[in-house]
Amino acid sequence: MMENSRKARERAEAALSGPPERPAKGSAVGIIAAESLATQEKTARLKKLRMERDAAEAPKVVKAKTTKAKAKTTASKPRAKKSAG
């Protein structure tokens, strides 16, 4: 008898408690949008810092390398034709 009243109480509490707590509809979209915005802001901030750093450094003089073009010395040998038969 005790078992029946416990089950009845659980059913009553479940019926009266209402729907379980759920996050607001569309909250995942809001979270994704917020993360995307944060990523864009961080990227912009880092790009600005990188450009400031590069502007502060003196430009390096790069000496152009002079290389001589090598002529191809290996000629392909003509292949022997196979006879049919």
Side-chain angles (χ1 to χ4, degrees):
M1 182 122 173
M2 188 73 154
E3 186 69 25
N4 288 338
S5 56
R6 185 172 59 102
K7 286 182 183 180
R9 182 195 300 167
E10 288 175 358
R11 283 195 307 265
E13 286 177 358
L16 296 175
S17 68
E21 293 293 321
R22 289 182 26 183
K25 189 173 186 178
S27 64
V29 174
I31 292 170
I32 292 170
E35 288 177 353
S36 176
L37 180 62
T39 301
Q40 290 173 358
E41 290 173 350
K42 182 178 179 181
T43 301
R45 181 178 59 85
L46 292 174
K47 182 177 180 180
K48 179 184 171 195
L49 290 172
R50 184 175 55 248
M51 292 180 81
E52 289 174 356
R53 180 198 66 203
D54 291 347
E57 291 179 1
K60 296 178 182 177
V61 177
V62 178
K63 188 174 183 179
K65 293 182 179 179
T66 55
T67 58
K68 295 181 181 179
K70 293 183 179 179
K72 289 188 175 182
T73 56
T74 48
S76 59
K77 296 180 183 178
R79 295 183 180 198
K81 295 183 180 179
K82 294 183 180 180
S83 61

